[in-house]
Amino acid sequence: MLATIERSMERLAVWLAALGALIIVVQTVWISYGVFMRYVVGKPDGTVTEATAMLLFPAALLGLAFALRENAYPTVSFLIDALGPRGRKALNALNLVLMIAVGVFFSIAGVQATMRAFESGTASEILLWPRYLFWAPGALALVVFTVYASVRLLSVLTCPAESSAKHQ
């Protein structure tokens, strides 16, 4: 059951990372258009800066769970290599607990910001796009990351010390 949940969370992590990549492609095209309009046509587009800035928040967070899936966070490997299997398992569990604590804090902040933006009906200054549309993907990414880290922690705690090296 836990393995099925973990695989589902991993698939969701891939989809969120793909959405983040799509946002980066949109930003790249929009910025290129803005540069073309400013320097070739001579008529700057006033929406480029705001749009790319607002898209930066969701793009930055949508890859969190994918990075955890791929073990792409920085680690001090000499310490991990010096420990035995039980020490590695304990250090991995501690690392996941810290990730969960930070994830819970930012998940709460992100969800609250999304709800406040939705309830207030605020919009961006130039584009007049609803702000909750920019907060929602980031909040979703933070919640998914936190849940996935929790599932990974349960997996690490329930598997033998020798096989927990897979989750490092």
Side-chain angles (χ1 to χ4, degrees), residues 4-165:
T4 304
I5 294 171
E6 190 170 359
R7 280 192 303 277
S8 298
M9 295 302 296
E10 288 174 352
R11 268 186 261 133
L12 184 56
V14 170
W15 280 103
L16 289 177
L19 178 60
L22 179 64
I23 289 173
I24 290 171
V25 168
V26 168
Q27 286 178 304
T28 303
V29 169
W30 207 331
I31 290 169
S32 300
Y33 165 76
V35 169
F36 176 79
M37 292 302 291
R38 176 179 296 269
Y39 294 109
V40 176
V41 178
K43 293 189 169 221
D45 181 2
T47 63
V48 173
T49 303
E50 183 184 35
T52 55
M54 292 187 77
L55 289 171
L56 187 61
F57 176 74
L61 297 177
L62 286 167
L64 283 174
F66 184 75
L68 180 59
R69 174 186 182 261
E70 296 297 316
N71 193 26
Y73 291 113
T75 57
V76 181
S77 59
F78 78 88
L79 177 61
I80 294 170
D81 294 341
L83 298 173
R86 291 174 70 193
R88 285 188 198 124
K89 179 179 178 175
L91 191 59
N92 193 19
L94 175 64
N95 188 35
L96 287 167
V97 166
L98 293 173
M99 286 184 184
I100 292 165
V102 171
V104 165
F105 174 79
F106 283 110
S107 293
I108 291 169
V111 169
Q112 285 180 345
T114 302
M115 291 171 49
R116 280 195 306 271
F118 181 78
E119 291 167 357
S120 70
T122 58
S124 61
E125 285 78 18
I126 296 170
L127 297 170
L128 301 178
W129 292 347
R131 284 193 182 268
Y132 74 88
L133 292 177
F134 298 96
W135 283 104
L140 174 66
L142 288 162
V143 169
V144 168
F145 168 77
T146 305
V147 171
Y148 180 47
S150 300
V151 169
R152 289 278 299 264
L153 177 63
L154 288 173
S155 180
V156 166
L157 293 176
T158 59
C159 72
E162 295 81 31
S163 64
S164 72

